[in-house]
Amino acid sequence: ILDYGGPNVAKELHVGHLRTAIIGESFKRTLRFAGARVTGDVHLGDWGVQMGQLLTQVRDEQPDLVYFDDGYRGPYPEESPVSIEDLQRLYPVSAARMKAEPAFAAAARHATVDLQAGRPGYRALWQHFRDVSVEAIGRVYDDLDVSFDVWLGESSVHDRIGPMVERLESSGVAEPSDGAVVVHVSRDDEEHQIPPLMLVKSDGGYAYATTDLATVEERVEDLEGTGAIYFVDARQSLHFEQVFRAARKGGIAPEAFVLEHAPNGTVNGPDGTPLRTRDGDLPLLRDALADIESIATASMDAKGLAADYPAAERERIAWLVGMAAVKFGDLSNHRTSSYIFDLERFSSFEGKTGPYLLYVAVRISSLLKKADEMGLERGPILAPAHDSERALLLEISEFAEAVERSIALRAPNHVAEYCYELSGAFNRFYEQCHILSEEDGSLQSSWLAVAALTRRVVVTSLDLLGISVPDRM
Ligand code: ARG
């Protein structure tokens, strides 16, 4: 089970969500390519105090809505009273009030407890929040060609929480602490003690860790997995350490069930801190994607690519170039490193970039097409005649190792690096061995077969990175 994406209901995706999505998607594709059975879970943040916060804000603005009428016995309207645009306005407003108004914060916490306890009007309104958010979030992931097998979330495990807490309490694993219930997870011999996991807050609400613990239980029982890997920001390392330790201590996950946090670094601005807009917000992903498209188009123009193609095809190619730019810009860095989000650099066709790799793949396609038109056949691959050819064949033979390394280390940058090396090896071969004008027929057909094989490995590697190659450009 792979846990990646991790968006929150009512909050629009921002560039901070890129890494987990890109790395998780790539890792999923790579594991699957190697034959593993994989379930990707988006793990929506849909059950925390933010939900109570939104409910309270809507109630303040529209107290007459039927969802707030305690005497109402249903059914509730099918149409959502809030749109995604409404939610995007409501979220920051309510978040600001949480900080500024103690009475609002208390009401929001109360509403969260009521929601979690099953108050019907709250559940019905919350379902609308979730549905409209999932639709909007899903559109952005579709654009990114990132997908999930299941859209479970924090709320999915709600029914497990009560019994789980009870079991942990009666077995003595969970202990009362200042009105709350916690699980001690530090070991006596540890130099740096780690704080206890918060299981039940003093107001009776459940914490982030509580739902994650119940999610471990669900993953062990329902999804029949052999383990779960979490592709989540490195800043949550302590959280996962607490959850995993509590899961072992409470007998929720057997030792054989893999629990692993594969932390990622952040997407930074030029100053080396997490990228922000001028207003100090994290830039929205959909705005960034629109920028990417126009920067990719400019980069294609600069190289004179696809100039006389039909407009729709040009647009499609620009999109693929942009995606290659962003994804390779991310995946060429090790998962744990942070990097500077520099679309100009990522979109260049020169250097270690996604567009450069697309260009090599397309160049091989057009070579093969020309050969077809000339009636040339591909033949058996002969022993290498040139150094550059030998180097290319050796590089091709390293593919499986790159895949294995990427899986073992949970680090798709190994496939990214490999793909770059392979492309360079092909370029050197292509410069030295003039395939189309070669007079020795069997050598020529061997070279064509080598080119076709290279193309297949480049395209496959790019696909493992979540990058699609256009037919021409
Ligand atoms: N929604 C969380 C956040 O925004 C990330 C969820 C990661 N996955 C998990 N199982 N906790 O921080």
Side-chain angles (χ1 to χ4, degrees):
I1 295 149
L2 304 183
D3 184 315
Y4 59 100
N8 296 314
V9 161
K11 269 172 101 173
E12 234 188 310
L13 294 179
H14 53 69
V15 294
H17 288 106
L18 267 177
R19 297 220 75 189
T20 168
I22 292 175
I23 296 169
E25 174 71 21
S26 174
F27 194 72
K28 177 188 70 182
R29 290 179 183 215
T30 309
L31 262 192
R32 231 171 234 165
F33 177 75
R37 277 194 296 134
V38 189
T39 303
D41 179 9
V42 72
H43 202 76
L44 269 185
D46 60 359
W47 209 231
V49 71
Q50 299 96 315
M51 298 300 110
Q53 187 180 304
L54 283 171
L55 289 167
T56 308
Q57 183 63 26
V58 175
R59 192 179 54 201
D60 276 8
E61 293 186 13
Q62 302 182 65
D64 297 334
L65 285 179
V66 57
Y67 305 94
F68 305 116
D69 178 352
D70 272 340
Y72 188 75
R73 287 287 161 265
Y76 292 94
E78 283 195 8
E79 185 83 12
S80 174
V82 289
S83 65
I84 186 67
E85 290 76 22
D86 294 332
L87 285 179
Q88 276 146 25
R89 178 185 63 79
L90 293 163
Y91 188 87
V93 171
S94 62
R97 292 185 69 189
M98 285 300 282
K99 289 199 189 115
E101 297 172 41
F104 181 88
R109 273 194 294 273
H110 201 81
T112 311
V113 174
D114 284 352
L115 168 74
Q116 293 180 347
R119 182 169 158 166
Y122 282 10
R123 285 280 178 111
L125 185 51
W126 165 84
Q127 189 66 49
H128 286 308
F129 294 166
R130 194 184 199 275
D131 292 345
V132 296
S133 297
V134 164
E135 211 201 300
I137 289 169
R139 272 198 302 270
V140 181
Y141 283 132
D142 280 349
D143 282 347
L144 283 171
D145 205 7
V146 166
S147 65
F148 303 92
D149 303 295
V150 288
W151 282 72
L152 301 175
E154 297 174 353
S155 66
S156 315
V157 295
H158 179 73
D159 293 342
R160 293 180 171 275
I161 291 180
M164 178 187 80
V165 169
E166 240 165 67
R167 236 180 319 108
L168 292 175
E169 280 183 309
S170 63
S171 62
V173 170
E175 297 163 49
S177 167
D178 288 334
V181 182
V182 303
V183 178
H184 291 284
V185 291
S186 215
R187 303 189 189 108
D188 293 339
D189 57 352
E190 250 168 358
E191 200 179 319
H192 298 285
Q193 297 281 301
I194 82 168
L197 172 140
M198 174 65 71
L199 196 64
V200 186
K201 294 191 270 189
S202 51
D203 64 8
Y206 301 126
Y208 182 40
T210 325
T211 53
D212 257 330
L213 202 51
T215 305
V216 170
E217 185 186 82
E218 177 185 56
R219 289 174 174 171
V220 171
E221 287 178 13
D222 281 9
L223 297 171
E224 295 172 24
T226 49
I229 305 178
Y230 297 71
F231 290 89
V232 184
D233 196 307
R235 289 170 289 186
Q236 297 195 22
S237 293
L238 175 60
H239 164 76
F240 285 112
E241 187 61 34
Q242 292 172 315
V243 170
F244 297 165
R245 286 188 184 197
R248 304 282 187 216
K249 187 175 179 185
I252 290 170
E255 283 302 329
F257 190 88
V258 172
L259 284 173
E260 219 180 280
H261 176 210
N264 57 261
T266 54
V267 176
N268 289 348
D271 65 350
T273 70
L275 191 68
R276 305 254 163 207
T277 63
R278 248 176 245 126
D279 305 328
D281 301 324
L282 291 162
L284 296 182
L285 204 42
R286 75 186 150 87
D287 294 341
L289 294 184
D291 286 352
I292 287 158
E293 212 175 348
S294 64
I295 294 174
T297 307
S299 177
M300 281 164 56
D301 289 347
K303 205 170 163 70
L305 293 175
D308 50 1
Y309 290 7
E313 187 182 357
R314 254 178 74 83
E315 252 171 58
R316 168 86 190 136
I317 296 173
W319 182 257
L320 294 180
V321 168
M323 282 300 106
V326 172
K327 291 183 179 178
F328 195 82
D330 188 300
L331 295 174
S332 54
N333 298 283
H334 185 266
R335 168 165 61 65
T336 53
S337 342
S338 299
Y339 66 87
I340 293 175
F341 196 65
D342 182 349
L343 285 180
E344 302 281 348
R345 186 168 69 78
F346 295 168
S347 303
S348 165
F349 282 89
E350 322 297 330
K352 197 173 183 176
T353 68
Y356 161 73
L357 298 177
L358 289 190
Y359 185 70
V360 173
V362 169
R363 196 174 181 196
I364 306 177
S365 305
S366 83
L367 161 74
L368 294 172
K369 206 168 134 225
K370 223 176 278 164
D372 283 346
E373 285 163 6
M374 292 164 67
L376 302 176
E377 306 253 328
R378 293 172 211 165
I381 294 179
L382 306 175
H386 281 265
D387 283 350
S388 62
E389 186 188 5
R390 183 193 323 275
L392 174 59
L393 289 171
L394 284 173
E395 194 63 52
I396 291 175
S397 74
E398 308 245 315
F399 174 60
E401 257 179 67
V403 169
E404 274 173 23
R405 244 187 338 266
S406 156
I407 292 174
L409 303 171
R410 285 75 166 108
N413 65 298
H414 290 285
V415 169
E417 184 65 34
Y418 170 75
C419 193
Y420 177 70
E421 293 298 332
L422 177 61
S423 300
F426 178 80
N427 278 345
R428 286 185 289 277
F429 161 70
Y430 190 61
E431 271 159 32
Q432 287 182 23
C433 302
H434 300 132
I435 304 177
L436 295 180
S437 58
E438 173 56 44
E439 279 168 12
D440 177 341
S442 46
L443 190 55
Q444 185 180 49
S445 15
S446 167
W447 282 349
L448 285 171
V450 170
L453 180 59
T454 307
R455 182 179 192 280
R456 197 169 127 204
V457 181
V458 170
V459 171
T460 304
S461 308
L462 288 173
D463 183 61
L464 296 183
L465 302 177
I467 297 173
S468 307
V469 181
D471 298 329
R472 56 173 195 163
M473 30 193 211

